[in-house]
């Protein structure tokens, strides 16, 4: 869980936020509150729906197949586009040691290596993935905890610069910086996405989601504060390895910065490893329900690995990475904003699904006090999602909406190949692959409950009662 959240995002974020100045720390605090609301929402949803798929499953259960498909499509884009952003930041720390002149073609080649190593690890099976995540998570915490604790004692207030260096209004700067800062929390839903592969998901997934987000929040805010205070504002804006520069300024020389760079490299590989698994897991769950191409549901090898999803996602991440290196100067920020937007859409649907269930069914199973608390948390999570979309900027929303709508022809093709129209004309089996092709760690999914509209149904119960006394003229 923590390994998927903490990647190279936290190591590259201070440079991306430097153009806004210390006001971005206010944005970070606001984003942290929103992330905790989302984490609590995902924790509650995973207790009620402990199946693999996360936001896709929640949207499908509450709003139907099409909403489920859009969420799976959007989250899939987030996963492989996010991998592209992570690997760009990862290359910045690799280039502390090699390609110090930052030649574009070498940077792109390094990025491809960083993408395909985790893909190879994922193709070997889930147990190997878990062991690799434990190792990388343990190694990455050493420099992060140091910077978030000892580094605070070396802060020089003169390094902060103007509080709002963006030239925008304070609210505008907080919104824009918040959209970038949210990238560091992407992955807070990771445990819910792979819930079907987790032991005792009703208990472990909510805990991992909320506690993992809290730990990351403390490290992010204190670590970013320390970097802002130990690296001058002018130097920070052009740095490709801000934590390395901070360590060098604290200790002098380059040995400390090199050690931090090694930790960032390990951290990035660990995050890429976790996100590569998520790239395949979401479409795998959707494909089992007939809402993604069948190739994503086929498992390979003794450990039951969704190989097609892993390979297809890594190929797309490779393409967008090479394209970005050849077209954009601020490669990291461009990809980050697209990843955040396509992630916020499933977050918004998940919060709406939770709020919908609470308002319709909550009184039946929750005390008034618990109901009021959960409604408030879900509403805050929804409001935060809308705010994050607004802060992404018009250009990002334009491109994000475009790639989201590219899923419509895919959905039409899927439905046409199944010979169905809408949700009512023929139920689609919840699991489309044979039992022996599913991952052994994944519990068999329960058949999706479908509602026949031919008899006239409501969204939450049985058939609507027809009025026995019709109006007669």
């Amino acid at each position: 869980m923590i390994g998927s959240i903490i990647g190279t995002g936290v190591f590259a974020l201070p440079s991306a936020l430097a153009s806004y100045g210390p006001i971005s720390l206010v944005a970070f605090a606001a984003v942290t509150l929103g992330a905790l609301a989302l984490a609590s929402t995902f924790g509650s949803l995973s207790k009620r729906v402990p199946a693999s798929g996360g936001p896709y499953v929640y949207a499908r259960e509450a709003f139907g197949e099409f909403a489920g498909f859009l969420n799976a499509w959007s989250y899939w884009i987030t996963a492989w586009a996010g991998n592209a952003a992570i690997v760009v930041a990862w290359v910045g720390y690799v280039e502390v040691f090699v390609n110090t002149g930052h030649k574009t073609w070498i940077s792109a080649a390094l990025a491809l290596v960083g993408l395909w190593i985790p893909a190879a690890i994922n193709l070997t099976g889930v147990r190997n993935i878990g062991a690799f995540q434990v190792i990388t998570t343990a190694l990455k915490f050493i420099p992060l905890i140091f910077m978030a604790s000892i580094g605070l004692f070396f802060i020089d207030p003169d390094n902060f610069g103007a509080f709002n260096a963006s030239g925008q209004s304070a609210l505008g700067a907080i919104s824009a910086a918040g959209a970038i800062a949210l990238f560091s929390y992407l992955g807070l839903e990771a445990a819910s996405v792979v819930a079907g592969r987790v032991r005792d998901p009703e208990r472990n997934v909510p805990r991992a989601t909320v506690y993992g987000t809290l730990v990351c929040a403390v490290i992010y805010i204190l670590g970013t504060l320390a970097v802002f205070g130990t690296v001058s504002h002018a130097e920070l804006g052009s740095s490709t390895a801000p934590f390395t520069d901070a360590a060098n300024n604290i200790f002098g020389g380059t040995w400390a910065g090199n050690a931090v760079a090694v930790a960032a490299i390990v951290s990035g590989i660990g995050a890429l490893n976790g996100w590569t698994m998520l790239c395949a897991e979401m479409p795998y769950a959707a494909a089992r329900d007939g809402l993604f191409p069948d190739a994503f549901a086929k498992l390979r090898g003794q450990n039951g690995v969704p190989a097609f999803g892993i390979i297809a996602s890594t190929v797309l991440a490779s393409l967008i990475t090479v394209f970005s290196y050849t077209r954009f100067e601020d490669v990291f920020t461009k990809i980050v904003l697209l990843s955040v937007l396509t992630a916020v859409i499933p977050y918004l649907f998940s919060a709406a699904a939770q709020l919908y269930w609470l308002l319709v069914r909550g009184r039946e199973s929750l005390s008034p006090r618990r109901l009021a608390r959960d409604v408030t948390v879900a509403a805050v999570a929804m409001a935060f999602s809308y705010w994050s979309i607004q802060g992404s900027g018009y250009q990002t929303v334009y491109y994000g909406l475009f790639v989201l709508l590219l899923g419509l022809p895919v959905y039409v093709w899927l439905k046409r190949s199944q010979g169905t129209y809408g949700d009512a004309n023929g139920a689609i089996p919840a699991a489309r692959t044979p039992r022996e092709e599913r991952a052994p760690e994944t519990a068999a999914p329960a058949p999706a409950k479908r509602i026949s509209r031919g008899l006239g149904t409501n969204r939450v119960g049985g058939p609507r009662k027809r009025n026995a006394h019709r109006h007669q003229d």
Side-chain angles (χ1 to χ4, degrees), residues 43-93:
S44 298
L45 285 165
S46 65
K47 286 182 180 178
R48 188 162 50 83
V49 191
S52 289
Y56 152 72
V57 174
Y58 309 145
R60 189 198 64 185
E61 183 203 46
F63 307 117
E65 287 185 344
F66 182 63
F69 168 80
L70 280 183
N71 277 263
W73 180 262
S74 184
Y75 193 87
W76 184 54
I77 295 170
T78 296
W80 56 259
N83 274 0
I86 290 172
V87 84
V88 167
W90 179 80
V91 167
Y93 281 90

Side-chain angles (χ1 to χ4, degrees), residues 125-463:
V126 173
R127 292 181 179 86
N128 291 339
I129 295 171
F132 187 79
Q133 286 295 97
V134 170
I135 294 171
T136 57
T137 300
L139 289 175
K140 79 179 69 173
F141 265 105
I142 298 173
L144 288 174
I145 292 176
F146 170 82
M147 195 60 68
S149 55
I150 305 300
L152 297 174
F153 294 99
F154 294 87
I155 289 177
D156 182 354
D158 292 336
N159 286 326
F160 286 109
F163 181 68
N164 182 3
S166 67
Q168 305 179 45
S169 66
L171 185 58
I174 291 173
S175 296
I180 297 174
L182 179 57
F183 179 75
S184 61
Y185 286 108
L186 298 191
L188 61 87
E189 74 292 340
S192 69
V193 175
V194 296
R197 299 174 184 264
V198 176
R199 293 180 181 177
D200 192 8
E202 294 91 342
R203 175 178 178 271
N204 292 327
V205 170
R207 288 186 175 186
T209 301
V210 175
Y211 294 152
T213 302
L214 278 171
V215 170
C216 292
V218 173
I219 293 173
Y220 284 161
I221 293 176
L222 296 181
T224 303
L225 174 64
V227 173
F228 267 65
T230 53
V231 182
S232 68
H233 182 262
E235 182 185 358
L236 187 60
S238 59
S239 174
T240 60
F243 273 76
T244 289
D245 294 337
N248 287 337
N249 290 346
I250 290 174
F251 291 101
T254 60
W255 68 269
N258 289 345
V260 170
V262 170
I265 293 168
V266 172
S267 172
I269 289 291
L272 286 166
N273 185 66
W275 273 99
T276 300
M277 177 174 65
L278 296 182
C279 282
E281 192 69 31
M282 179 75 76
Y284 168 70
R288 282 189 335 204
D289 297 334
L291 295 179
F292 235 69
D294 287 339
F296 286 90
K298 294 180 180 178
L299 301 174
R300 306 292 183 188
Q302 224 172 7
N303 292 324
V305 177
F308 183 84
I310 293 171
I311 294 172
S313 301
T314 307
V315 167
L316 289 170
S318 300
L319 291 175
I320 194 175
T321 299
V322 173
F323 177 82
S324 298
Y325 267 114
T326 57
R327 295 296 181 94
F328 301 134
E329 290 185 8
D330 51 343
V331 179
F332 179 73
T333 303
K334 293 287 187 185
I335 304 178
V336 159
L337 289 174
L338 177 62
S339 302
V340 166
L341 179 67
T342 53
V344 167
I345 292 171
Y347 291 173
L348 178 61
F349 269 89
S350 297
Q354 171 71 350
L355 187 62
Y356 180 27
W357 183 86
L358 288 169
L359 295 177
V360 175
R361 298 279 180 85
R363 290 187 179 90
E364 300 173 6
S365 53
L366 300 176
S367 66
R369 183 176 180 180
R370 174 69 181 274
L371 178 62
R373 188 199 72 178
D374 287 357
V375 166
T376 301
V377 171
V380 169
M382 279 191 70
F384 172 70
S385 299
Y386 281 118
W387 178 68
S388 299
I389 293 173
Q390 178 269 332
S392 298
Y394 296 114
Q395 186 180 39
T396 303
V397 172
Y398 167 78
Y399 286 121
L401 180 62
F402 181 78
V403 297
L404 179 66
L405 295 180
L406 285 177
L408 285 175
V410 177
Y411 185 76
V412 171
W413 170 67
L414 286 170
K415 284 298 188 178
R416 189 258 174 216
S417 64
Q418 296 161 1
T420 61
Y421 183 81
D423 286 347
N425 297 332
I428 301 172
R432 294 177 54 82
T433 55
R435 181 179 300 272
E436 63 270 17
E437 289 189 357
R438 276 202 309 268
E441 295 84 0
T442 305
K449 294 182 180 179
R450 304 194 179 275
I451 302 172
S452 172
R453 294 180 184 171
L455 297 176
T457 60
N458 56 34
R459 293 293 297 172
V460 297

